Amino acid sequence: HIGRADEDVTIVDTVTYEDLRPGLEYKVVGKLMNKKTGKIIQADGRDVTAETTFTAEKSEGTVQVTFNFSGVNLKGETVVAFETLYHKDIPVAVHAEIDDKMQTVYLPEIKTAARDSETKIGLSKGDDKIILTDTVSYTDVMPGAEYTVIGVLMDQATGEPVVSAGRGVTAEAVFTAL
């Protein structure tokens, strides 16, 4: 239920159905909703939707609806999948619950602010011992989930990791989101 808001996002929703007539053709149409606004998610100027057509083999079963979209503008958002089941273009069942945790996918965003422990700003003295504190803020993470934040100190000029005593300079913290 956690994704990454990058250029190519794929969310697969497994839809469980019951009381269908075996041998008939059905279609499930899904749309992704923004949990905060209650509006349909858009990517590249279009609504994010997906559909799957299937023939019911039994009266109950599952079918997958796969959403593929660009999520670069969705950092820090929470999306919820809504579905409608159709038979011959007639809606026969709807699942549209904005608070359904099983239909929810979090697309977290983090921001960081590194500060020197001595100067309290983003500038350090060039001495033997430098202590940096990187404060990481986050939005739209799954409450109750445990996360690990791993920081790597990078040389801004070269884009390479900073090396001290033959090792990369790293730190990590584990937290449970509230």
Side-chain angles (χ1 to χ4, degrees):
H1 294 275
I2 301 170
R4 193 168 147 176
D6 57 16
E7 186 63 40
D8 186 25
V9 176
T10 300
I11 295 175
V12 179
D13 188 19
T14 301
V15 177
T16 302
Y17 60 84
E18 56 186 47
D19 297 326
L20 298 188
R21 292 203 40 208
L24 294 183
E25 186 175 270
Y26 295 89
K27 177 171 61 173
V28 178
V29 176
K31 58 183 176 180
L32 289 184
M33 306 297 289
N34 183 309
K35 184 167 173 69
K36 289 179 202 158
T37 67
K39 295 181 179 179
I40 191 164
I41 295 288
Q42 291 205 326
D44 299 326
R46 296 189 322 250
D47 293 348
V48 177
T49 63
E51 64 180 61
T52 300
T53 301
F54 67 100
T55 301
E57 294 179 17
K58 297 180 180 180
S59 65
E60 69 280 328
T62 61
V63 64
Q64 293 185 332
V65 179
T66 303
F67 299 90
N68 292 310
F69 58 97
S70 170
V72 294
N73 295 321
L74 297 174
K75 290 179 181 160
E77 296 294 343
T78 300
V79 300
V80 182
F82 284 10
E83 283 81 28
T84 302
L85 175 68
Y86 293 89
H87 174 62
K88 293 186 177 182
D89 294 326
I90 299 168
V92 295
V94 176
H95 185 202
E97 298 175 40
I98 199 73
D99 293 320
D100 187 337
K101 291 180 182 175
M102 294 304 293
Q103 296 296 104
T104 301
V105 176
Y106 298 87
L107 302 170
E109 178 178 34
I110 63 169
K111 295 182 180 180
T112 66
R115 302 286 183 251
D116 180 85
S117 63
E118 232 180 303
T119 66
K120 308 293 185 217
I121 61 173
L123 183 65
S124 297
K125 295 179 183 176
D127 51 18
D128 290 342
K129 186 174 183 179
I130 298 172
I131 299 173
L132 301 177
T133 299
D134 194 11
T135 302
V136 179
S137 60
Y138 55 88
T139 57
D140 284 297
V141 296
M142 184 165 39
E146 183 177 277
Y147 294 87
T148 303
V149 176
I150 301 171
V152 178
L153 190 61
M154 303 293 289
D155 184 318
Q156 188 176 22
T158 67
E160 297 293 321
V162 172
V163 176
S164 178
R167 299 186 329 210
V169 179
T170 65
E172 73 177 61
V174 177
F175 69 96
T176 300
L178 301 176

